[in-house]
Amino acid sequence: MDSTKLSLAVAFALFVLLSSADATAKSLCCIDRVFTFGDSMTDAGNACQVQGGNCGVIPYGETYFHKPNGRWCDGRLIVDFIAQAYGLPLPPPSMAGNTREYFLNGANFAYAGSMALNISTYKKVTGLDRAGPDHSLGIQLQSFKDLLPVISQGSSVTAVMTNSLFIVGEIGGVDYIGGLVSNKPTEEMKSWTPSVVAAIGSAVNDLINLGATTLIVPGNFAIGCAPWFLTLLKSNNSGDYDSQTGCLKKLNELAVYHNTMLTQELAKQRLLHPLANIVYADYYGAQTQLILTSKSRDIPAPLYACCGAPGQPYNFSLNMQCGSKGSQVCPDPTKYISWDGNHLTEAANNVIANGILYGPYAIPPLV
């Protein structure tokens, strides 16, 4: 199935989800805390605190924080803009605090490199080994559960859960990245999708059973548009590229396939929990629209990284990544979508967040 047909399938799934949505979605004024889970697209500093990395060196953080602060970005993330829209401070990294005061407005449990599947399940599903500590979605959720008695001090678990916004993702992209760097065919990786989506659905179900009433569940980004994979999986066949975006079609078809199954899973969760407001965030749609409208936004090279290897295709090289010796940063990150070849710029995050908060990329709408 080509990406156009898959996109139509996503649109239909979104229509079904919207048709079944409860019309009483909370307005942006009614949230006291924001809790987030995910990978490096959401991580506010947990991985950087534990294991370090380029996220802890200049130019990371330069646009908004004027110094590195643990985010894999030049500034704020999508979840940061969402929190600010609710009048709340940026969700701090969960591993940096352990008091009620620290979690007063929520926290960010995301960890760079995290998968939806835990390491043992990933091995069973994919046949691939995964090194390193396990910070997968279920582990992040358990960390939240362990901290819930601290978070709810002076209040109640019910009050915390019902007055909080939970952003579950983006998560699942790393599950497929392991296959891509191992040269697995995308058709084979599609067989992993039911397990990946089930892990996300399980986390949503667990949060609702704990008392959560408002959740945002993002889909995967357009991974075929990332400079990293455009470089790694470069093809001499022009037919492998989308004629409108220049992105790798098979990778984006994989993302759309995942997102289609995720919207179907969320529709099931809504039937199980009719009183919960479960919002699908279409990161893929918002990102690809940003690429398609890049000229009108004064973004001359929408598939190039702002920070990376000068003179290399897409301004990216695994041997000279952003923040490493010899890398260079662009003079104006607002004219780029990709920050470092894998993560987005603050400017792109802002556009996508606005599309979720106020535009057509949240189903059902948040406001």
Side-chain angles (χ1 to χ4, degrees), residues 287-335:
Q287 180 188 2
T288 53
Q289 182 63 18
L290 179 56
I291 293 170
L292 290 169
T293 59
S294 57
K295 287 186 178 179
S296 65
R297 296 176 179 273
D298 194 23
I299 301 173
L303 301 183
Y304 276 63
C306 166
C307 181
Q312 295 298 311
Y314 305 104
N315 201 31
F316 180 83
S317 171
L318 285 172
N319 297 320
M320 193 184 293
Q321 297 187 56
C322 181
S324 64
K325 184 178 180 180
S327 65
Q328 292 183 10
V329 63
C330 66
D332 186 359
T334 65
K335 296 185 182 297

Side-chain angles (χ1 to χ4, degrees), residues 187-364:
E187 288 303 314
E188 178 181 340
M189 287 188 281
K190 287 179 182 178
S191 68
W192 309 348
T193 304
S195 298
V196 175
V197 167
I200 300 171
S202 177
V204 169
N205 185 69
D206 285 355
L207 284 167
I208 295 173
N209 285 337
L210 283 171
T213 58
T214 307
L215 305 93
I216 295 176
V217 187
N220 273 356
F221 288 96
I223 53 178
C225 303
W228 178 14
F229 291 111
L230 286 165
T231 301
L232 180 67
L233 303 176
K234 180 181 178 181
S235 172
N236 293 322
N237 182 0
S238 60
D240 290 338
Y241 296 88
D242 185 280
S243 60
Q244 290 184 297
T245 63
C247 305
L248 286 163
K249 290 194 292 188
K250 284 189 177 181
L251 271 64
N252 278 355
E253 288 170 1
L254 175 62
V256 172
Y257 185 80
H258 169 96
N259 293 343
T260 301
M261 293 199 72
L262 180 60
T263 57
Q264 293 168 351
E265 172 63 27
L266 296 184
K268 294 176 185 177
Q269 291 295 327
R270 291 188 65 83
L271 291 176
L272 289 173
H273 307 286
L275 298 182
N277 182 32
I278 306 171
V279 177
Y280 172 72
D282 184 12
Y283 283 8
Y284 180 99
Q287 180 188 2
T288 53
Q289 182 63 18
L290 179 56
I291 293 170
L292 290 169
T293 59
S294 57
K295 287 186 178 179
S296 65
R297 296 176 179 273
D298 194 23
I299 301 173
L303 301 183
Y304 276 63
C306 166
C307 181
Q312 295 298 311
Y314 305 104
N315 201 31
F316 180 83
S317 171
L318 285 172
N319 297 320
M320 193 184 293
Q321 297 187 56
C322 181
S324 64
K325 184 178 180 180
S327 65
Q328 292 183 10
V329 63
C330 66
D332 186 359
T334 65
K335 296 185 182 297
Y336 286 78
I337 295 172
S338 176
W339 165 243
D340 59 5
N342 190 29
H343 309 96
L344 304 181
T345 60
E346 178 184 86
N349 286 332
N350 189 17
V351 171
I352 293 172
N354 282 331
I356 303 303
L357 289 162
Y358 312 110
Y361 299 107
I363 307 295

Side-chain angles (χ1 to χ4, degrees), residues 39-61:
D39 56 27
S40 60
M41 305 298 283
T42 303
D43 187 357
N46 285 322
C48 212
Q49 176 182 332
V50 173
Q51 63 193 46
N54 287 3
C55 52
V57 302
I58 289 291
Y60 283 87

Side-chain angles (χ1 to χ4, degrees), residues 74-236:
D74 61 311
R76 289 163 289 181
L77 309 170
I78 295 172
V79 295
D80 293 327
F81 285 108
I82 291 175
Q84 288 184 319
Y86 281 93
L88 298 173
L90 309 186
S94 60
M95 293 182 177
N98 58 9
T99 66
R100 173 185 174 275
E101 290 72 24
Y102 184 82
F103 296 102
L104 196 59
N105 297 117
N108 189 322
F109 288 82
Y111 195 100
S114 293
M115 302 185 295
L117 299 174
N118 62 49
I119 289 178
S120 61
T121 303
Y122 181 74
K123 169 79 171 180
K124 293 176 183 176
V125 170
T126 70
L128 298 173
D129 290 313
R130 174 66 189 264
D134 193 346
H135 294 284
S136 56
L137 180 57
I139 302 297
Q140 294 176 27
L141 183 56
Q142 187 59 53
S143 296
F144 170 75
K145 291 177 181 178
D146 292 343
L147 283 167
L148 196 50
V150 175
I151 296 170
S152 60
Q153 285 178 6
S155 181
S156 68
V157 170
T158 299
V160 168
M161 298 301 295
T162 57
N163 293 314
S164 297
L165 169 64
F166 294 88
I167 306 177
V168 187
E170 180 268 342
I171 191 79
V174 176
D175 300 65
Y176 302 114
I177 288 174
L180 292 173
V181 299
S182 300
N183 295 315
K184 293 285 188 179
T186 54
E187 288 303 314
E188 178 181 340
M189 287 188 281
K190 287 179 182 178
S191 68
W192 309 348
T193 304
S195 298
V196 175
V197 167
I200 300 171
S202 177
V204 169
N205 185 69
D206 285 355
L207 284 167
I208 295 173
N209 285 337
L210 283 171
T213 58
T214 307
L215 305 93
I216 295 176
V217 187
N220 273 356
F221 288 96
I223 53 178
C225 303
W228 178 14
F229 291 111
L230 286 165
T231 301
L232 180 67
L233 303 176
K234 180 181 178 181
S235 172
N236 293 322

